[in-house]
Amino acid sequence: MTLRDAEALVGIPYVEDHFDCAHLVSLTQQQLFGRTVALPLYHPRGRRGQAAVISRLAAQLAEKVAEPATGDVALYFETEDDGRERFHLGTVFLQAGERWVLHAHATTGASVLQRERDALRMGLRVEGYYRWTDVQPHEST
């Protein structure tokens, strides 16, 4: 998969509780990588509730990896205006040694594909990268 493939999923409106970062990860995995990722219909907003959901889904995410490959999931922390922390998800794409992330966020208003370093300027902090059980790492060029 290349950045050009990922661009097909850019511009999908972010709609709280209907199409958020988790929905985009699921859609991306299905449409670009042929994986079915079953997500719960309800996504808790607080970090504790999100952590519980992520723990239940972790069986699909075989392992945390130090260096992500195209198709891996990036898990971020972010702090909301009210000081509460929550998780944020994106799908990693590598191109020419640079890390990009396809994600949907309330501040962008829609799904975007951006260099990870630019996403981090939005206040996201990397928790880690996770590889699906059926994936062999590779870099797209």
Side-chain angles (χ1 to χ4, degrees):
M1 288 299 120
T2 66
L3 290 180
R4 185 167 302 239
D5 298 316
E7 288 172 350
L9 296 175
V10 169
I12 301 170
Y14 176 93
V15 180
E16 185 92 29
D17 297 327
H18 295 287
F19 191 85
D20 59 19
C21 62
H23 293 103
L24 181 60
V25 164
S26 179
L27 181 65
T28 301
Q29 294 302 314
Q30 178 184 17
Q31 288 193 2
L32 299 185
F33 299 97
R35 295 184 193 99
T36 301
V37 179
L39 294 175
L41 294 176
Y42 168 72
H43 304 301
R45 294 211 19 99
R47 184 172 170 181
R48 179 179 287 171
Q50 289 177 342
V53 170
I54 289 168
S55 291
R56 285 195 305 271
L57 294 175
Q60 294 176 340
L61 301 173
E63 63 183 332
K64 189 173 186 175
V65 295
E67 289 298 320
T70 294
D72 288 348
V73 174
L75 179 61
Y76 303 100
F77 291 124
E78 65 178 323
T79 304
E80 294 186 335
D81 292 338
D82 63 5
R84 292 178 25 191
E85 282 199 326
R86 62 186 280 184
F87 288 101
H88 180 68
L89 300 171
T91 302
V92 173
F93 290 83
L94 299 180
Q95 176 124 2
E98 188 158 27
R99 195 176 297 154
W100 293 71
V101 62
L102 176 64
H103 64 117
H105 196 276
T107 59
T108 62
S111 57
V112 295
L113 179 63
Q114 62 187 159
R115 288 177 174 85
E116 186 180 55
R117 67 177 180 253
D118 295 331
L120 297 176
R121 289 187 191 119
M122 294 172 44
L124 301 177
R125 298 178 317 280
V126 176
E127 185 282 334
Y129 302 99
Y130 293 84
R131 181 152 305 138
W132 302 97
T133 56
D134 65 341
V135 173
Q136 296 299 316
H138 66 280
E139 179 173 337
S140 297
T141 56

